[in-house]
Amino acid sequence: MSGQDWPEGTGRHVLAVTDSTNAHALREAPVLQGPAWFLGLEQTAGRGRRARAWASPRGNFHATLLLAPTESPEQVALRSFAAALALRDAFVALTGLPAAFSLKWPNDVLLNGAKVAGILLEATSAGAGVQALAIGIGVNLIAHPDPSVMEAGALPAVSLLSETGVRIAPETFLDALAPAYARWEAMFTAQGFAPLRAAWLAHAAKIGEPIRARTGKDTHFGVFDTIDSQGNLILLTATGRLAIPAAEVFF
């Protein structure tokens, strides 16, 4: 156990090197009792959304929380918002800079308007439900991708060190993140999504402003109005309100 605030009953595993903390966590799922965090000090095959490679230099944060949720898959997916809120809490606790951090739908954290962290949920299924959920989190603590490898139109990436001058070790970040997530998880299981939705909206980037949301084949332009009770992006378009369950968002 590390840190006085480490959530009771939650495992803490630090791996010198692993392929992907999500993949490792899901391999461990059949034998684990209770939730567990897996921190990879180095990842050799990290990945982001849509199977993109995720740069994983040593000194950055790559970790996964493994859970065995009982809700429907739609409810389980809402934990990405719990993870985003916990990430913001950890950043604020470690830097004392609450105004610097905002949340980008669906699952990024921004520092001074640029991407500093991302979240990737992966799951194994059991019948119609979810057997194991891996909440993967990558944070640019000391390094960030070069603009040349970023998708055209994507937000620039920054590191915590480059933007704030604060140098945080991955283990230290985990010890702030784990209790922060445990608080949001407890609220979610007791009260549902409503309090998380309200908190997320209070820190959301670009609410009330024009954005572009790209789904598989279509691109929608409109004003970012809110997120609904299912976590969908609500866009005010020229033809009316549009609920978008999944998309890449560009500012």
Side-chain angles (χ1 to χ4, degrees):
M1 191 178 82
S2 179
Q4 296 176 329
D5 297 328
W6 187 262
E8 188 176 351
T10 298
R12 184 183 189 274
H13 307 273
V14 179
L15 312 167
V17 62
T18 187
D19 52 351
S20 145
T21 58
N22 267 17
H24 181 93
L26 290 171
R27 287 194 297 266
E28 294 290 316
V31 297
L32 273 180
Q33 303 294 318
W37 280 94
F38 296 88
L39 173 66
L41 299 182
E42 189 177 329
Q43 278 192 139
T44 58
R47 58 190 185 273
R49 293 183 70 223
R50 301 182 190 271
R52 294 186 186 120
W54 180 276
S56 308
R58 184 170 284 272
N60 275 359
F61 181 85
H62 340 98
T64 295
L65 173 61
L66 183 70
L67 299 172
T70 57
E71 306 92 352
S72 69
E74 296 76 23
Q75 284 291 109
V76 168
L78 294 173
R79 283 182 171 83
S80 64
F81 295 95
L85 288 162
L87 269 169
R88 187 182 178 279
D89 287 349
F91 279 125
V92 171
L94 292 166
T95 65
L97 299 170
F101 297 94
S102 59
L103 306 176
K104 177 176 180 279
W105 189 90
N107 49 16
D108 292 338
V109 180
L110 308 184
L111 169 53
N112 298 331
K115 180 172 177 173
V116 71
I119 299 159
L120 176 66
L121 268 57
E122 294 182 300
T124 56
S125 58
V130 173
Q131 185 173 37
L133 174 69
I135 304 176
I137 293 174
V139 180
N140 301 330
L141 289 178
I142 64 164
H144 59 83
D146 188 85
S148 64
V149 303
M150 303 290 284
E151 183 180 1
L155 281 181
V158 293
S159 73
L160 188 67
L161 181 61
S162 69
E163 284 295 296
T164 69
V166 176
R167 183 184 286 271
I168 301 290
E171 296 95 329
T172 303
F173 194 83
L174 178 61
D175 288 339
L177 178 62
Y181 183 86
R183 289 190 291 270
W184 289 110
E185 173 71 22
M187 186 177 294
F188 179 64
T189 53
Q191 302 177 47
F193 184 53
L196 276 67
R197 175 180 176 270
W200 191 94
L201 285 168
H203 302 299
K206 302 294 183 180
I207 280 205
E209 297 185 34
I211 63 170
R212 177 165 55 98
R214 190 179 70 204
T215 58
K217 290 176 282 200
D218 302 313
T219 299
H220 305 280
F221 297 87
V223 171
F224 178 17
D225 183 48
T226 188
I227 62 171
D228 67 13
S229 60
Q230 286 80 49
N232 298 318
L233 174 74
I234 303 299
L235 203 60
L236 302 182
T237 74
T239 55
R241 285 169 66 90
L242 184 64
I244 300 175
E248 298 277 341
V249 168
F250 301 89
F251 295 158

